[in-house]
Amino acid sequence: MRKDCLITNDQAHAAIELFDQGNGYAATATKLDVHKPTLKLLHDRWLVRGTMSVMEPYQRRRLPAETKIATAKRYIAGEHKVELAKELGLASSRPILDWVKEYRDKGEGAFTPRKATGKGKTARIRAIDHGQDPDADPVPAKPDAAAKKTRVEDISLAEYRQLQDRLLRAEAENAYLKKLRALRQNGQL
């Protein structure tokens, strides 16, 4: 079983034996005195992968968007999620329900690759990407540059992004200081 699982290996083996005998996850959870949602997940995997393969590690893999859309359409048309999951070799049937939800929300445009936003980049990498010298001294910002602006249309995109960055930094610093104060009050620092 996985290291972060809420049940032990012995409990999982006992649960699988009870599943094999025809018990559902709720009855099994009551008999073994374990958390029902955890057993529901194990039961779902047992339905898809069978008795022996539940205990083996499962390798995740990516499926193409066309396969996900086709599977969502088949589920909507009335095919059973467990049968579809077995056919695709999935660990459980949960991804199929997620695909159906996304397909219903976005239609044929679901599962298109996301455009990279660059949010995970450091300031140094962003500066290099923009053709700037990351080691150069930053140009001091004018403190009242945005104060003169009265309408959103008057603020350039660069100024808007600069203000957004300043706000995000201030919010992060504020959250850090609140956490630090709470730790000091609890006597942990």
Side-chain angles (χ1 to χ4, degrees):
M1 293 299 299
R2 291 177 16 202
K3 293 176 185 173
D4 60 345
C5 192
L6 298 174
I7 59 175
T8 65
N9 276 341
D10 293 335
Q11 289 172 325
H13 284 290
I16 289 170
E17 286 178 20
L18 290 170
F19 295 156
D20 286 337
Q21 294 170 9
N23 290 302
Y25 75 91
T28 303
T30 303
K31 286 181 183 179
L32 298 177
D33 194 29
V34 294
H35 196 229
K36 279 184 187 177
T38 300
L39 270 191
K40 179 163 178 34
L41 295 173
L42 181 65
H43 187 259
D44 189 30
R45 287 197 315 269
W46 172 79
L47 284 173
V48 173
R49 297 175 65 199
T51 301
M52 295 306 293
S53 62
V54 171
M55 303 309 284
E56 298 170 4
Y58 182 76
Q59 294 293 325
R60 294 184 76 179
R61 60 189 175 94
R62 291 191 173 265
L63 294 172
E66 299 81 27
T67 304
K68 293 177 183 180
I69 291 172
T71 304
K73 286 179 181 178
R74 288 174 59 190
Y75 177 79
I76 292 169
E79 292 190 45
H80 198 272
K81 64 182 180 180
V82 173
E83 295 303 319
L84 292 169
K86 284 180 183 178
E87 182 181 315
L88 294 172
L90 299 175
S92 74
S93 60
R94 182 67 209 175
I96 293 173
L97 299 177
D98 296 337
W99 299 343
V100 169
K101 182 181 183 316
E102 189 162 348
Y103 177 72
R104 284 183 174 151
D105 291 345
K106 298 179 183 175
E108 294 292 326
F111 314 111
T112 55
R114 295 185 185 122
K115 182 181 173 189
T117 60
K119 283 189 177 183
K121 293 183 178 181
T122 64
R124 183 175 182 81
I125 292 173
R126 279 194 303 267
I128 292 169
D129 287 347
H130 292 8
Q132 300 168 350
D133 181 12
D135 297 322
D137 290 332
V139 177
K142 298 177 187 175
D144 62 338
K148 295 179 184 177
K149 311 295 183 184
T150 57
R151 297 182 319 186
V152 175
E153 295 85 18
D154 294 338
I155 298 175
S156 72
L157 184 59
E159 288 173 317
Y160 175 76
R161 286 191 177 148
Q162 183 182 15
L163 290 172
Q164 223 177 6
D165 286 344
R166 287 175 55 193
L167 176 64
L168 287 173
R169 277 192 209 102
E171 287 174 344
E173 185 176 327
N174 188 24
Y176 174 78
L177 292 172
K178 281 182 180 180
K179 234 178 208 182
L180 184 64
R181 183 184 326 142
L183 289 172
R184 283 189 180 158
Q185 286 175 348
N186 292 336
Q188 294 178 352
L189 280 181

